[in-house]
Amino acid sequence: MLLVIIAIMSLYIVRHFRFFSNRLFKEQRRCQQDLAGTFRPSVSILIPMHKEEKVATSILERFVEMDYPKDASRYEVIAIDDGSTDATPSIVDEYASKFSFIKGVHRVENGGNGKPEALNVGLKVASNEIILIFDADYLPPQDCIERLVAPFVDVEVGGVMGRVVPVNSPASFVSRIIDIERAGGYQISQQARYNLNLIPQFGGTVGGFRRSVLKAVGGFDETKLTEDTDLTYKLYLHGWKIAYVNAAECYEEAVLSWEMREKQLTRWAIGHDQCLFEYFFKTLKSPVLTFWQKVDGILLLGVYTTPLLIFVGWLIGIFTYLTGGPWWSSLFPAILFVFAYNSIGNFAVFAEVGGSLFLDQRRRSIWLLPLMFVDLLANVWVCSRAFFKAIFLRNPRPSQVETLFSERVHTKTLNGFGNNYAHQWDKTERSGNGLLYYTAVATELDVTNHVKKAEIKRNNEKRG
Amino acid sequence: MTARYSRSQKIQKTHFFVGLAISLFSTLIVAFQGFNFWIWQADMVSHLLSFAGVPHRLFIWGNLAARGPTFEIPINSQPIPFTAVIVVLVALASLIVILNIYRRIPSPIKTIAFVVSVVTIFTLLWQTVISPIPSYTLHWITVDWSCSGVVGLCLITLIYAPFLFTIRGPLWVKVFWLFITIGFSVVWNLLRMSLVTATLYYFGGPVFLILHYLLGAFIDFVYIVAFYSLALSHLSRFEVGGTNSNA
């Protein structure tokens, strides 16, 4: 059993090594970013909202200030108020009345059934070819849309994903750890997967799809807790590609406490495990995917089960330690292997995050690298529990494809063993402090730009 | 790719081979001088144990079937009362249930509490039911492959070759941090061995087993990460512009 775990984990170690070396030492794909600002297809932006009064104004304001032609045929922002009982509906209405490109959708009677359902409703209202999705607590910079739509110039690209950057990192210990973890996940892992033509993942926000592709694959699966991972696999199994745009940075409000982190991680892990059960064999058998895409696809599906494997490995290790291992375990090669697995294996993830912080030139953040161990401990607990919850989660499989573009009443529930995952919003609480940090970042960027411009001007003057 | 970038890649490749050579060299030293290193370590641990007031005898050339320098330590041989074992087991089982129910406990603490509880439960059950504390009053601890940390020295160089020496920056910084990490590793292993041995004397077998496991396999690599992060941070000082961070 221990050897099986070590074998599986060794695959992940090799994967981390490969991504690290590719991202740091090989040529990077820039994803048609030279066309950003030139290629401007018609875009519908969906913002699902459920009790978002703390952040609704800031995100709508960002889309008002966005660098994109604001004519209604080219640019529309659809704020989907999904059964909010706070001030969200009035904020949405206020912006919709002021700006013609902002549309407010209110779901009063059937609302509050969760993000995938809200997105499907938004899809029905959307009229443009490219559909982009943003969560309400995100703060996209002005060039974000231009950068995100550029890859769609390639007809093989069905979806796109931008980079998520926590903006409130200094707010708490948890947000700092999430910040550096995110850096590794996007700066190295996603970019390397895109470079290597593997499977970059759509993360549910700061990304989007062609409307036709979404329609073809049946829209957002309302039975999944991570409809984003589900869509990623649907797209790849249908022969489409997802492009990752590292330059399309978007700022998010990271959670501030372990309690919220546990809630968030549990949702992701259960959803991911649901996809593992559904897409494991489909990925293996796919005639469309290449060999390496299949390998990466399987490893990506299992990414939230690895903490459980680590946990089981620790427990078996304890038992072996007490009972004494087999005769060969005291031989030098065996000891060397176990030590190598323990140190290099665990080290691979840290190196990936460290590499990303190095690329971002965040010298002081690199010092926080050892604290990732705390995050590993959290993942072990949360993901192990989530795996068993996912196993016992009954999946009702509604006939979604047929009903996607028609009105209906939602009465389905996802009942879990010992836990009821009601078909409802399971989002993390917003603190609303993201805007403060964003303003600081934006000011700093502005100052840096001014300094750079002045420097360029001076150099040009010197050259005469 | 620009010519400048290609040149930088060549330099880093050379640095990688330098790192690999250091790794090979250190492995050879360990292979040929490992026993002498154990003797030196055992001698140092002996000094630390004396400082900590732990009575012991050191057999430099090993003892019985031992494969390295061996310490002989008198330990408290009193078996743990059965009632105490039951109380501790019930308490730990309750703790595991509480960890599952109570959401406000930070999840990293839940994991640590769970692992420590399981290790303690296994150890207590093992020692009470299967292998009770022996009646003899002396215990043997041998400085060998598995506890001296000598393998770690080779692995540090092996990790740094691909993950540090390949990163853009001056070679001296990389070599400097490699040796700092190795130096710390030597000190850490001396302290770890002394601590667990003293624990055996002062707190008995179960606590020794738990601490030995947790300090060894569980968190042994964390200090490597800490020094690696300092090295990376130092290297990033020399990175002026020129990154391909926003691909």
Side-chain angles (χ1 to χ4, degrees):
Chain A
M1 177 71 176
L2 191 59
L3 289 176
V4 172
I5 291 174
I6 288 178
I8 295 172
M9 294 306 294
S10 299
L11 282 176
Y12 279 98
I13 293 167
V14 172
R15 182 173 176 258
H16 285 301
F17 279 5
R18 184 80 183 94
F19 289 174
F20 178 88
S21 60
N22 176 275
R23 183 65 185 92
L24 266 83
F25 313 119
K26 300 288 178 184
E27 195 168 355
Q28 305 300 303
R29 290 173 70 190
R30 292 193 69 246
C31 208
Q32 278 88 29
Q33 286 306 292
D34 296 337
L35 293 175
T38 310
F39 176 67
R40 287 170 162 176
S42 66
V43 176
S44 294
I45 293 149
L46 307 185
I47 312 168
M49 292 179 171
H50 179 67
K51 299 178 185 172
E52 306 284 10
E53 63 180 5
K54 285 183 182 167
V55 291
T57 308
S58 22
I59 187 161
L60 290 172
E61 201 60 44
R62 299 265 68 72
F63 284 109
V64 168
E65 290 173 3
M66 191 62 64
D67 279 344
Y68 213 80
K70 301 285 190 324
D71 49 299
S73 61
R74 190 96 72 94
Y75 183 74
E76 65 175 356
V77 178
I78 301 167
I80 311 149
D81 155 40
D82 194 37
S84 303
T85 50
D86 58 358
T88 308
S90 56
I91 295 171
V92 169
D93 284 341
E94 188 193 328
Y95 273 85
S97 62
K98 272 193 207 168
F99 304 98
S100 60
F101 56 85
I102 295 183
K103 290 179 184 170
V105 177
H106 298 286
R107 303 192 70 223
V108 183
E109 287 178 13
N110 296 330
N113 292 324
K115 183 179 166 185
E117 196 177 296
L119 286 173
N120 279 332
V121 169
L123 258 184
K124 282 190 282 185
V125 180
S127 53
N128 292 336
E129 170 51 21
I130 305 298
I131 307 288
L132 295 180
I133 297 145
F134 286 84
D135 281 352
D137 61 328
Y138 278 63
L139 296 159
Q142 283 177 309
D143 60 349
C144 190
I145 303 297
E146 287 179 342
R147 291 188 178 281
L148 280 176
V149 297
F152 286 108
V153 77
D154 179 353
V155 289
E156 290 183 20
V157 170
V160 69
M161 179 67 205
R163 181 180 175 186
V164 174
V165 181
V167 71
N168 60 339
S169 171
S172 78
F173 178 72
V174 179
S175 55
R176 278 185 192 276
I177 289 184
I178 290 172
D179 180 24
I180 60 173
E181 188 196 58
R182 281 260 202 278
Y186 285 94
Q187 179 67 282
I188 290 211
S189 186
Q190 287 269 49
Q191 179 67 43
R193 273 185 282 172
Y194 178 60
N195 289 341
L196 295 164
N197 199 19
L198 300 175
I199 301 191
Q201 191 187 357
F202 170 63
T205 179
V206 197
F209 302 91
R210 290 180 197 277
R211 186 183 150 83
S212 52
V213 171
L214 265 183
K215 207 172 172 180
V217 299
F220 299 90
D221 189 339
E222 296 169 13
T223 66
K224 295 281 188 330
L225 287 181
T226 50
E227 77 289 342
D228 43 3
T229 310
D230 179 77
L231 262 178
T232 302
Y233 279 84
K234 274 183 184 161
L235 250 71
Y236 270 93
L237 292 174
H238 280 80
W240 292 94
K241 286 179 188 169
I242 291 179
Y244 172 68
V245 190
N246 202 41
E249 290 182 356
C250 185
Y251 302 100
E252 70 152 347
E253 219 184 271
V255 293
L256 301 177
S257 69
W258 284 115
E259 194 182 353
M260 295 315 299
R261 172 69 174 159
E262 188 171 335
K263 189 180 172 188
Q264 186 183 53
L265 202 55
T266 302
R267 187 176 72 242
W268 292 346
I270 293 177
H272 223 86
D273 292 338
Q274 279 181 301
C275 293
L276 170 70
F277 303 148
E278 182 168 341
Y279 291 108
F280 185 86
F281 289 111
K282 285 181 185 172
T283 305
L284 276 183
K285 289 176 187 169
S286 168
V288 184
L289 299 175
T290 64
F291 173 76
W292 289 114
Q293 280 179 331
K294 286 180 184 180
V295 172
D296 184 52
I298 296 295
L299 292 175
L300 182 63
L301 280 173
V303 85
Y304 281 93
T305 55
T306 51
L308 173 66
L309 293 179
I310 291 172
F311 208 4
V312 174
W314 283 347
L315 296 181
I316 295 175
I318 294 165
F319 190 72
T320 313
Y321 168 67
L322 287 172
T323 58
W327 63 270
W328 50 263
S329 65
S330 58
L331 297 176
F332 178 66
I335 292 171
L336 184 67
F337 180 75
V338 171
F339 271 77
Y341 167 73
N342 187 47
S343 49
I344 300 180
N346 286 317
F347 188 78
V349 186
F350 291 86
E352 192 175 288
V353 175
S356 68
L357 296 171
F358 179 82
L359 283 174
D360 280 341
Q361 289 292 290
R362 294 172 60 188
R363 194 150 53 89
R364 291 165 73 90
S365 295
I366 299 176
W367 298 345
L368 300 176
L369 205 53
L371 296 179
M372 283 283 294
F373 185 66
V374 181
D375 193 45
L376 175 70
L377 291 175
N379 287 355
V380 162
W381 178 264
V382 178
C383 296
S384 302
R385 290 187 70 199
F387 182 77
F388 293 106
K389 284 181 182 171
I391 287 176
F392 295 113
L393 198 71
R394 286 203 304 275
N395 202 335
R397 309 288 312 144
S399 52
Q400 192 183 318
V401 179
E402 289 77 25
T403 57
L404 176 61
F405 292 100
S406 62
E407 282 299 335
R408 59 191 160 135
V409 177
H410 297 274
T411 52
K412 301 176 295 297
T413 53
L414 292 168
N415 294 320
F417 180 78
N419 280 283
N420 287 330
Y421 274 90
H423 199 51
Q424 62 190 17
W425 281 83
D426 185 28
K427 70 184 182 67
T428 42
E429 291 301 318
R430 324 286 192 203
S431 65
N433 66 0
L435 189 63
L436 294 175
Y437 290 99
Y438 178 78
T439 313
V441 169
T443 311
E444 197 179 317
L445 283 175
D446 202 32
V447 170
T448 317
N449 277 340
H450 281 305
V451 172
K452 275 185 184 166
K453 278 176 191 168
E455 202 176 320
I456 291 165
K457 199 178 169 187
R458 272 201 306 276
N459 288 338
N460 286 340
E461 282 170 0
K462 273 182 194 172
R463 283 186 201 130
Chain B
M1 291 284 94
T2 62
R4 186 167 163 255
Y5 189 64
S6 303
R7 186 172 161 267
S8 161
Q9 277 191 320
K10 275 180 194 167
I11 292 170
Q12 300 328 312
K13 202 176 268 184
T14 313
H15 286 192
F16 169 67
F17 285 114
V18 171
L20 221 53
I22 294 174
S23 178
L24 190 69
F25 184 64
S26 62
T27 308
L28 286 174
I29 289 179
V30 165
F32 290 108
Q33 296 294 323
F35 197 79
N36 288 336
F37 182 70
W38 292 342
I39 291 171
W40 176 80
Q41 261 188 329
D43 198 38
M44 295 300 287
V45 171
S46 177
H47 281 95
L48 285 168
L49 288 177
S50 302
F51 178 73
V54 179
H56 64 279
R57 284 173 66 192
L58 172 60
F59 298 89
I60 287 288
W61 299 106
N63 197 3
L64 302 173
R67 291 157 294 177
T70 306
F71 289 99
E72 185 187 80
I73 298 158
I75 59 167
N76 185 356
S77 62
Q78 285 180 347
I80 308 166
F82 190 69
T83 325
V85 172
I86 296 294
V87 169
V88 173
L89 288 180
V90 170
L92 291 174
S94 312
L95 177 66
I96 290 174
V97 174
I98 291 169
L99 292 174
N100 259 297
I101 295 170
Y102 198 55
R103 292 190 65 169
R104 292 186 75 91
I105 302 171
S107 33
I109 291 176
K110 285 179 181 174
T111 305
I112 292 171
F114 188 83
V115 170
V116 172
S117 301
V118 171
V119 176
T120 313
I121 289 171
F122 271 22
T123 310
L124 283 176
L125 282 175
W126 184 262
Q127 297 226 324
T128 311
V129 182
I130 299 167
S131 171
I133 291 174
S135 56
Y136 55 79
T137 55
L138 295 172
H139 197 88
W140 309 96
I141 291 181
T142 304
V143 181
D144 65 0
W145 290 117
S146 58
C147 77
S148 69
V150 72
V151 180
L153 296 180
C154 308
L155 289 178
I156 289 168
T157 55
L158 202 61
I159 289 171
Y160 274 30
F163 286 125
L164 188 69
F165 279 75
T166 49
I167 291 196
R168 281 188 297 270
L171 183 63
W172 71 265
V173 175
K174 300 166 189 177
V175 175
F176 171 77
W177 282 105
L178 173 66
F179 283 108
I180 290 280
T181 314
I182 288 175
F184 182 85
S185 176
V186 171
V187 175
W188 159 254
N189 284 310
L190 284 177
L191 292 174
R192 182 176 56 83
M193 280 196 291
S194 309
L195 183 68
V196 293
T197 313
T199 306
L200 178 64
Y201 172 72
Y202 283 113
F203 301 103
V207 182
F208 162 76
L209 284 173
I210 294 163
L211 200 70
H212 192 31
Y213 179 78
L214 292 179
L215 285 186
F218 203 58
I219 59 164
D220 199 34
F221 73 98
V222 175
Y223 73 86
I224 304 178
V225 175
F227 281 101
Y228 176 73
S229 68
L230 290 172
L232 264 188
S233 174
H234 195 170
L235 279 177
S236 69
R237 279 192 201 175
F238 299 92
E239 194 74 5
V240 183
T243 56
N244 51 354
S245 68
N246 258 340

